[in-house]
Amino acid sequence: MLDYCVVKLPRLPFDKFISAKRTLTTQMKATGEVMSICDNFEGALMKAIRSLGSM
């Protein structure tokens, strides 16, 4: 039984780097990340996705 689940997602702001390629590869460099904590994976993932939109 897990007490909580942590999800971290990279932030890739394509709108700030207009001339950059938009193809995701293993060489991509994130400019930041968001982290969320919830009691289940689905909740933590949804919180992390919502956080990406507010940055």
Side-chain angles (χ1 to χ4, degrees):
M1 178 81 185
L2 295 174
D3 291 334
Y4 57 89
C5 180
V6 178
V7 172
K8 290 174 74 174
L9 291 176
R11 184 168 188 271
L12 304 165
F14 291 115
D15 55 337
K16 289 186 180 182
F17 304 105
I18 297 169
S19 63
K21 291 183 182 178
R22 293 178 179 256
T23 306
L24 294 177
T25 67
T26 58
Q27 298 292 320
M28 295 296 292
K29 302 232 179 357
T31 59
E33 61 187 11
V34 296
M35 182 181 82
S36 64
I37 301 172
C38 191
D39 58 351
N40 60 36
F41 176 74
E42 292 84 7
L45 180 63
M46 293 308 295
K47 284 182 182 180
I49 291 171
R50 281 195 309 263
S51 298
L52 283 174
S54 65
M55 293 181 94

